[in-house]
Amino acid sequence: MTGSESLVGRRTVLKGLGLGVAATATMPAQAATVAPSEGGEIWSNEYWTKKGDIPLWMFRKRIGAPKPGEPARPVVFFVHGSSVTSRVFDLNVPGKGEYSAMNEFARHGFDCWTMDHENYGKSGRSSGNSDIASGVEDLRGAVELIVRETGQQKVHFVGESSGALRAGAYAMVAPERVDRLVFAAFTYKGEGSPTLTKRAEQLDYFRAHNMRKRDRDMIRSIATRDKPGTSDPAVMEVLADAEMQFGDQIPTGTYLDMTANLPVVHPEKVLAPVLLVRGEYDGIATVADLEEFYNKLPNGDRQFVILPGTAHSVTLAINRQLFWHVTRAFLTMPPPIAT
């Protein structure tokens, strides 16, 4: 998109890349081919699905409105984390350049989707705590709607923080719907994590309450708790503006899972290709924690990338274009040829 993308080749640390498959194996081709857009307006639309009686809000962006008979485009589904809604993937920050991952990937030929999970954003409210298992059920309904709307049978997932846990847990139970997985700011067992150690001090509260306070200072802390300067404070103010319209309460379920119930994603059960993305300064998981997960993944098509100058929030980082670059490269990998 800009000249700064050329920095990725020099600065990104590629921890591993496995492309080997058994001699008798045949890797399926991806569901559709990415065709970078040559201009055109970004089209968007809202959708609703349901989980029981709970309405769930979904949002879609791509270049141009869908047309009958046109070639299918690869679908990428962005899964939000514990303390924010899907706005984190579609933020408009005047004067600061592009911050919408959905815009970025739409311009590169993807059909981009996201959703607000139960008890978040525009989606319905319930008495539950919206834990990882609840998020999996949200994704079930969302993906089936996407299949009907696009004709695609498989979907790429990009999840950040507990959104990566949601995507991973979904991949374990619905492998037939998963193409490629990008786990950003992921945690496996959480061992040695300063963020989770601090968060665990409130474990009794998370067990006893289904909602927690989420004010502007909490939103600001997403960008400052690990390494101030890795995200623009002005961007976090725009994020806070977008988030506070939905109130100052947010579910505790994913916090409870991340402090008391890890691991919730078991690598042996994740069959799809996986890209693990860690910010250099991210306190949610150590390199050793992620390496253990990476080494247990059964699919040889996997990568582990560490992004320099980046902390927990890779989506809204100053170096967000590094994240866009490695993610786009992974999602457009040609299928390996068995030898």
XYZ file of all heavy atoms in Angstrom, residues 229-295:
507
model
N 4.362 4.107 23.096
C 5.013 4.546 21.868
C 4.837 3.607 20.702
O 5.170 3.959 19.567
N 4.323 2.408 20.955
C 4.096 1.467 19.861
C 2.759 1.708 19.166
O 2.514 1.171 18.088
C 4.164 0.015 20.353
O 3.254 -0.146 21.464
C 5.579 -0.332 20.820
N 1.871 2.477 19.793
C 0.615 2.903 19.176
C 0.458 4.397 19.394
O 0.950 4.950 20.374
C -0.584 2.166 19.788
O -0.563 0.789 19.486
N -0.227 5.048 18.478
C -0.457 6.487 18.547
C -1.577 6.769 19.550
O -2.700 6.276 19.379
C -0.843 6.988 17.155
C -0.948 8.502 17.068
O -1.212 9.147 18.091
O -0.783 9.024 15.948
N -1.332 7.563 20.605
C -2.386 7.863 21.580
C -3.636 8.458 20.954
O -4.754 8.203 21.421
C -1.707 8.853 22.536
C -0.250 8.565 22.419
C -0.039 8.164 20.987
N -3.479 9.246 19.892
C -4.639 9.847 19.234
C -5.550 8.784 18.633
O -6.779 8.934 18.607
C -4.185 10.826 18.156
N -4.961 7.702 18.161
C -5.754 6.606 17.591
C -6.564 5.919 18.682
O -7.730 5.563 18.477
C -4.832 5.613 16.870
C -5.609 4.379 16.415
C -4.163 6.284 15.677
N -5.976 5.760 19.844
C -6.698 5.115 20.935
C -7.860 5.983 21.421
O -8.877 5.455 21.887
C -5.742 4.807 22.084
C -4.553 3.929 21.682
S -4.999 2.478 20.659
C -5.877 1.478 21.863
N -7.733 7.297 21.295
C -8.850 8.169 21.638
C -10.006 7.971 20.661
O -11.173 7.959 21.053
C -8.409 9.632 21.646
C -7.409 9.982 22.737
C -7.913 9.658 24.137
O -9.108 9.886 24.416
O -7.105 9.168 24.957
N -9.682 7.803 19.387
C -10.722 7.532 18.390
C -11.375 6.178 18.676
O -12.605 6.036 18.569
C -10.137 7.577 16.968
C -11.179 7.151 15.941
C -9.623 8.982 16.649
N -10.553 5.195 19.033
C -11.111 3.890 19.399
C -12.030 4.017 20.606
O -13.125 3.426 20.632
C -9.986 2.900 19.688
C -10.433 1.511 20.151
C -11.238 0.798 19.067
C -9.229 0.653 20.556
N -11.610 4.772 21.612
C -12.447 4.958 22.796
C -13.765 5.624 22.431
O -14.833 5.243 22.947
C -11.697 5.772 23.842
N -13.725 6.620 21.544
C -14.963 7.250 21.089
C -15.899 6.222 20.464
O -17.109 6.233 20.721
C -14.650 8.344 20.059
C -13.964 9.558 20.659
O -14.034 9.747 21.883
O -13.345 10.322 19.880
N -15.332 5.351 19.636
C -16.149 4.339 18.956
C -16.710 3.319 19.937
O -17.840 2.843 19.784
C -15.322 3.637 17.884
N -15.934 2.984 20.956
C -16.335 1.934 21.888
C -17.303 2.422 22.966
O -18.232 1.704 23.345
C -15.089 1.338 22.560
C -14.197 0.544 21.611
C -14.870 -0.726 21.116
O -15.702 -1.297 21.843
O -14.568 -1.140 19.989
N -17.111 3.639 23.460
C -17.898 4.084 24.597
C -19.364 4.319 24.250
O -20.204 4.413 25.155
C -17.285 5.342 25.209
C -15.894 5.129 25.823
S -15.808 3.719 26.963
C -16.898 4.274 28.291
N -19.681 4.390 22.960
C -21.090 4.499 22.582
C -21.886 3.276 23.017
O -23.112 3.325 23.126
C -21.214 4.689 21.066
C -20.750 3.500 20.257
C -20.913 3.670 18.765
O -22.009 3.998 18.285
N -19.843 3.456 18.015
N -21.177 2.183 23.288
C -21.848 0.944 23.695
C -21.836 0.748 25.210
O -22.209 -0.324 25.701
C -21.195 -0.251 23.004
C -21.232 -0.168 21.505
C -20.073 -0.016 20.763
C -22.445 -0.203 20.833
C -20.105 0.074 19.381
C -22.497 -0.105 19.449
C -21.322 0.036 18.720
N -21.400 1.757 25.949
C -21.452 1.679 27.401
C -20.115 1.345 28.027
O -19.121 1.090 27.338
N -20.088 1.343 29.348
C -18.838 1.157 30.089
C -18.743 -0.212 30.750
O -17.978 -0.409 31.695
C -18.663 2.260 31.136
C -19.747 2.237 32.216
O -20.691 1.418 32.109
O -19.645 3.039 33.162
N -19.521 -1.167 30.248
C -19.468 -2.531 30.771
C -19.116 -3.487 29.633
O -19.577 -3.319 28.503
C -20.810 -2.940 31.387
C -21.249 -2.072 32.564
C -20.393 -2.313 33.791
O -20.084 -3.447 34.148
N -20.011 -1.222 34.455
N -18.325 -4.491 29.958
C -17.872 -5.466 28.969
C -17.836 -6.838 29.643
O -17.619 -6.935 30.856
C -16.474 -5.055 28.417
C -16.283 -5.497 26.970
C -15.353 -5.509 29.322
C -16.952 -4.635 25.957
N -18.055 -7.923 28.913
C -18.105 -9.246 29.551
C -16.776 -9.686 30.164
O -15.698 -9.285 29.716
C -18.513 -10.173 28.405
C -19.184 -9.296 27.407
C -18.464 -7.987 27.490
N -16.857 -10.556 31.157
C -15.668 -11.093 31.839
C -15.243 -12.461 31.330
O -14.183 -12.969 31.725
C -15.941 -11.242 33.351
O -17.063 -12.127 33.532
C -16.233 -9.898 34.006
N -16.050 -13.086 30.474
C -15.830 -14.494 30.143
C -14.462 -14.826 29.586
O -13.835 -15.805 29.995
N -13.976 -14.021 28.642
C -12.667 -14.334 28.050
C -11.535 -14.070 29.040
O -10.525 -14.764 29.027
C -12.436 -13.523 26.760
O -12.553 -12.133 27.038
C -13.449 -13.913 25.689
N -11.703 -13.065 29.914
C -10.706 -12.831 30.967
C -10.638 -14.024 31.921
O -9.559 -14.446 32.337
C -11.046 -11.561 31.745
C -10.398 -10.302 31.220
C -10.104 -10.149 29.859
C -10.091 -9.246 32.073
C -9.525 -9.001 29.376
C -9.497 -8.084 31.601
C -9.213 -7.963 30.253
O -8.619 -6.818 29.785
N -11.801 -14.563 32.254
C -11.832 -15.738 33.127
C -11.147 -16.920 32.454
O -10.325 -17.618 33.074
C -13.284 -16.090 33.478
C -13.494 -17.346 34.330
C -12.776 -17.229 35.663
C -14.989 -17.590 34.546
N -11.443 -17.145 31.191
C -10.804 -18.253 30.480
C -9.292 -18.073 30.412
O -8.532 -19.039 30.566
C -11.365 -18.356 29.057
C -12.701 -19.074 29.002
O -12.980 -19.872 29.908
O -13.465 -18.827 28.048
N -8.841 -16.838 30.190
C -7.410 -16.602 30.008
C -6.630 -16.616 31.318
O -5.405 -16.772 31.303
C -7.200 -15.276 29.272
C -7.742 -15.292 27.842
S -7.791 -13.672 27.043
C -6.089 -13.500 26.536
N -7.321 -16.487 32.436
C -6.630 -16.524 33.727
C -6.834 -17.831 34.484
O -6.042 -18.148 35.383
C -7.093 -15.362 34.628
O -8.523 -15.364 34.725
C -6.623 -14.036 34.067
N -7.858 -18.606 34.125
C -8.149 -19.820 34.893
C -8.274 -21.081 34.060
O -8.156 -22.187 34.618
C -9.449 -19.629 35.686
N -8.486 -20.963 32.754
C -8.857 -22.147 31.979
C -7.944 -22.457 30.799
O -8.277 -23.301 29.967
C -10.291 -21.978 31.467
C -11.292 -21.828 32.591
O -11.179 -22.486 33.624
N -12.261 -20.947 32.409
N -6.799 -21.804 30.709
C -5.881 -22.112 29.608
C -5.249 -23.483 29.790
O -5.021 -23.916 30.924
C -4.787 -21.041 29.529
C -5.220 -19.647 29.088
C -4.036 -18.684 29.109
C -5.856 -19.662 27.701
N -4.960 -24.202 28.689
C -5.228 -23.799 27.303
C -6.664 -24.080 26.879
O -7.243 -25.087 27.282
C -4.244 -24.654 26.508
C -4.091 -25.898 27.317
C -4.189 -25.471 28.757
N -7.208 -23.201 26.075
C -8.533 -23.425 25.487
C -8.425 -23.810 24.018
O -9.400 -24.269 23.427
C -9.453 -22.202 25.658
C -9.760 -21.964 27.120
C -8.851 -20.960 25.023
N -7.267 -23.597 23.421
C -7.002 -24.048 22.051
C -5.873 -25.068 22.123
O -4.779 -24.776 22.619
C -6.600 -22.874 21.133
C -6.325 -23.398 19.721
C -7.685 -21.809 21.104
N -6.159 -26.277 21.651
C -5.190 -27.368 21.709
C -4.573 -27.560 20.319
O -5.280 -27.903 19.366
C -5.875 -28.642 22.188
C -6.517 -28.479 23.536
N -5.802 -28.516 24.709
C -7.806 -28.234 23.881
C -6.619 -28.317 25.731
N -7.845 -28.143 25.252
N -3.290 -27.319 20.192
C -2.685 -27.298 18.857
C -2.872 -28.584 18.074
O -3.011 -28.550 16.845
C -1.203 -27.027 19.153
C -1.008 -27.364 20.591
C -2.308 -27.080 21.255
N -2.882 -29.717 18.761
C -3.028 -30.997 18.066
C -4.361 -31.093 17.322
O -4.503 -31.871 16.381
C -2.924 -32.155 19.055
C -1.604 -32.227 19.804
C -1.616 -31.418 21.104
O -2.563 -30.602 21.287
O -0.691 -31.592 21.914
N -5.339 -30.285 17.739
C -6.671 -30.325 17.140
C -6.898 -29.220 16.117
O -7.994 -29.113 15.553
C -7.734 -30.237 18.241
C -7.690 -31.404 19.226
C -8.764 -31.255 20.293
C -8.715 -32.410 21.289
N -9.759 -32.268 22.343
N -5.894 -28.396 15.887
C -6.003 -27.330 14.889
C -5.353 -27.830 13.607
O -4.130 -27.905 13.499
C -5.328 -26.036 15.377
C -5.419 -24.953 14.301
C -5.973 -25.555 16.671
N -6.149 -28.185 12.634
C -5.656 -28.869 11.436
C -5.287 -27.917 10.299
O -4.550 -28.299 9.396
C -6.711 -29.864 10.952
C -7.203 -30.888 11.988
C -8.221 -31.834 11.361
C -6.051 -31.650 12.604
N -5.784 -26.707 10.341
C -5.559 -25.759 9.250
C -4.159 -25.154 9.327
O -3.498 -25.204 10.361
C -6.600 -24.642 9.327
N -3.678 -24.559 8.231
C -2.440 -23.784 8.279
C -2.578 -22.625 9.266
O -3.645 -21.995 9.356
C -2.285 -23.272 6.848
C -3.069 -24.234 6.013
C -4.233 -24.638 6.859
N -1.505 -22.332 10.006
C -1.550 -21.314 11.057
C -0.380 -20.348 10.922
O 0.767 -20.765 10.730
C -1.514 -21.956 12.460
C -1.363 -20.889 13.545
C -2.768 -22.782 12.708
N -0.688 -19.057 11.046
C 0.318 -18.017 11.212
C 0.175 -17.450 12.618
O -0.890 -16.925 12.975
C 0.123 -16.897 10.184
C 0.910 -15.597 10.428
C 2.417 -15.834 10.362
C 0.478 -14.516 9.437
N 1.218 -17.573 13.432
C 1.267 -16.945 14.749
C 1.991 -15.615 14.612
O 3.110 -15.563 14.097
C 2.031 -17.828 15.744
C 1.345 -19.048 16.337
C 2.328 -19.798 17.242
C 0.119 -18.641 17.143
N 1.355 -14.536 15.077
C 1.959 -13.211 15.013
C 2.068 -12.658 16.431
O 1.055 -12.535 17.134
C 1.137 -12.252 14.140
C 1.796 -10.873 14.109
C 0.973 -12.793 12.727
N 3.297 -12.326 16.821
C 3.528 -11.761 18.153
C 4.221 -10.414 18.025
O 5.194 -10.265 17.287
C 4.415 -12.687 18.986
C 4.705 -12.163 20.395
C 5.681 -13.073 21.135
N 5.815 -12.672 22.527
C 6.704 -11.774 22.977
N 7.540 -11.192 22.121
N 6.756 -11.464 24.262
N 3.708 -9.414 18.729
C 4.416 -8.155 18.827
C 5.653 -8.340 19.695
O 5.625 -9.068 20.694
N 6.732 -7.677 19.336
C 8.003 -7.814 20.055
C 7.848 -7.606 21.556
O 8.495 -8.293 22.360
C 8.995 -6.799 19.486
C 10.349 -6.781 20.158
C 11.257 -5.694 19.616
O 10.789 -4.878 18.785
O 12.434 -5.661 20.028
N 6.978 -6.691 21.970
C 6.849 -6.332 23.381
C 5.572 -6.860 24.027
O 5.231 -6.451 25.137
C 6.902 -4.807 23.527
C 8.161 -4.190 22.987
C 8.133 -3.426 21.810
C 9.390 -4.356 23.633
C 9.285 -2.856 21.301
C 10.546 -3.790 23.123
C 10.486 -3.042 21.960
O 11.645 -2.477 21.458
N 4.857 -7.746 23.353
C 3.569 -8.214 23.866
C 3.735 -8.987 25.176
O 4.491 -9.959 25.246
C 2.887 -9.099 22.822
C 1.432 -9.399 23.168
O 0.932 -8.883 24.179
O 0.803 -10.162 22.404
N 2.995 -8.561 26.196
C 3.067 -9.223 27.496
C 2.040 -10.306 27.707
O 1.993 -10.916 28.780
N 1.202 -10.597 26.704
C 0.152 -11.597 26.869
C 0.699 -13.017 26.788
O 0.105 -13.961 27.307
C -0.977 -11.400 25.837
C -2.298 -12.028 26.317
C -0.607 -11.963 24.475
C -2.999 -11.218 27.359
N 1.843 -13.188 26.099
C 2.435 -14.526 25.964
C 3.923 -14.395 25.704
O 4.357 -13.511 24.963
C 1.774 -15.302 24.826
N 4.698 -15.281 26.290
C 6.139 -15.311 26.035
C 6.415 -16.007 24.708
O 5.569 -16.734 24.177
C 6.872 -16.061 27.147
O 6.440 -17.442 27.132
C 6.584 -15.457 28.518
N 7.613 -15.790 24.194
C 8.026 -16.493 22.979
C 8.020 -17.998 23.226
O 7.576 -18.783 22.375
C 9.417 -16.015 22.526
C 9.940 -16.884 21.379
C 9.360 -14.551 22.088
N 8.477 -18.410 24.405
C 8.516 -19.845 24.718
C 7.119 -20.458 24.710
O 6.920 -21.591 24.229
C 9.175 -20.065 26.072
N 6.125 -19.733 25.222
C 4.745 -20.217 25.246
C 4.242 -20.436 23.824
O 3.632 -21.474 23.510
C 3.871 -19.191 25.973
C 2.424 -19.638 26.128
O 2.196 -20.682 26.763
O 1.523 -18.942 25.623
N 4.508 -19.487 22.947
C 4.042 -19.594 21.565
C 4.830 -20.638 20.783
O 4.272 -21.332 19.927
C 4.129 -18.236 20.881
C 3.235 -17.142 21.480
C 3.427 -15.832 20.741
C 1.775 -17.560 21.472
N 6.112 -20.771 21.073
C 6.904 -21.801 20.396
C 6.404 -23.198 20.742
O 6.379 -24.085 19.882
C 8.376 -21.661 20.772
C 9.079 -20.520 20.056
C 10.542 -20.428 20.420
O 10.914 -20.827 21.542
O 11.324 -19.942 19.573
N 5.992 -23.387 21.996
C 5.455 -24.693 22.368
C 4.196 -24.999 21.567
O 4.023 -26.119 21.068
C 5.147 -24.745 23.870
C 4.629 -26.098 24.318
C 4.331 -26.183 25.803
O 4.636 -25.212 26.534
O 3.783 -27.224 26.227
N 3.321 -24.009 21.431
C 2.115 -24.191 20.628
C 2.467 -24.480 19.174
O 1.963 -25.436 18.569
C 1.252 -22.934 20.722
C -0.043 -23.001 19.962
C -1.175 -23.549 20.541
C -0.140 -22.518 18.661
C -2.378 -23.618 19.842
C -1.325 -22.580 17.952
C -2.445 -23.131 18.546
N 3.351 -23.666 18.628
C 3.768 -23.789 17.231
C 4.328 -25.178 16.929
O 4.002 -25.798 15.911
C 4.804 -22.710 16.930
C 5.436 -22.781 15.573
C 4.827 -22.218 14.467
C 6.659 -23.425 15.386
C 5.411 -22.286 13.208
C 7.252 -23.494 14.138
C 6.619 -22.923 13.052
O 7.195 -22.995 11.814
N 5.168 -25.684 17.817
C 5.830 -26.974 17.589
C 4.869 -28.150 17.641
O 5.188 -29.231 17.122
C 6.954 -27.169 18.602
C 8.127 -26.248 18.350
O 8.376 -25.844 17.213
N 8.851 -25.898 19.407
